[in-house]
Amino acid sequence: MILETLGSVVLGLVLAWTALRALSPRLPSRRVVLGTGALGALFGAWLTHSVLGPGHEAATLVGSVLIAAVTLSLLLRPRGSRRLSRSAAA
C-alpha cells in the first residue's frame, strides 16, 4: 500500500509537471498545479484501491493517473484570455 501511495504521488507530480511544460499559459500558478496533480493522484489511488481491493497495484496506478488527469483538466482556462460578455437582454 505504501508503494502504491508513493508511486501514485510521483506519477501525479510527473503528470502535473508535464502539463506545466505543455500548457503553462493556460494554467494557474506552479504550486497549485503540482499540488492538484499530487492530491488528485492520491485520491485516485485511494478510490481505485477501495473499489478493486488489494492485489491490483498496476490498475491502482492507472486509476490514480486518470483521476489526476481529470483534476488537472479542471484547472485549464480557455485559450482566449478575455471574458465572455453578457448581452443586455440577459
Side-chain angles (χ1 to χ4, degrees):
M1 182 74 182
I2 299 282
L3 290 177
E4 287 178 0
T5 304
L6 290 176
S8 65
V9 169
V10 168
L11 288 174
L13 287 172
V14 167
L15 187 65
W17 180 77
T18 305
L20 278 171
R21 299 278 294 169
L23 303 167
S24 62
R26 296 179 58 195
L27 289 168
S29 70
R30 179 179 298 261
R31 180 183 287 175
V32 171
V33 174
L34 291 174
T36 301
L39 289 176
L42 192 60
F43 175 70
W46 173 77
L47 183 67
T48 309
H49 182 80
S50 59
V51 168
L52 296 177
H56 300 282
E57 290 83 16
T60 301
L61 291 177
V62 169
S64 69
V65 168
L66 290 175
I67 299 293
V70 168
T71 55
L72 285 172
S73 73
L74 294 174
L75 296 177
L76 284 174
R77 293 184 219 138
R79 282 191 192 268
S81 60
R82 61 188 167 117
R83 295 187 180 247
L84 297 175
S85 61
R86 293 188 165 222
S87 65

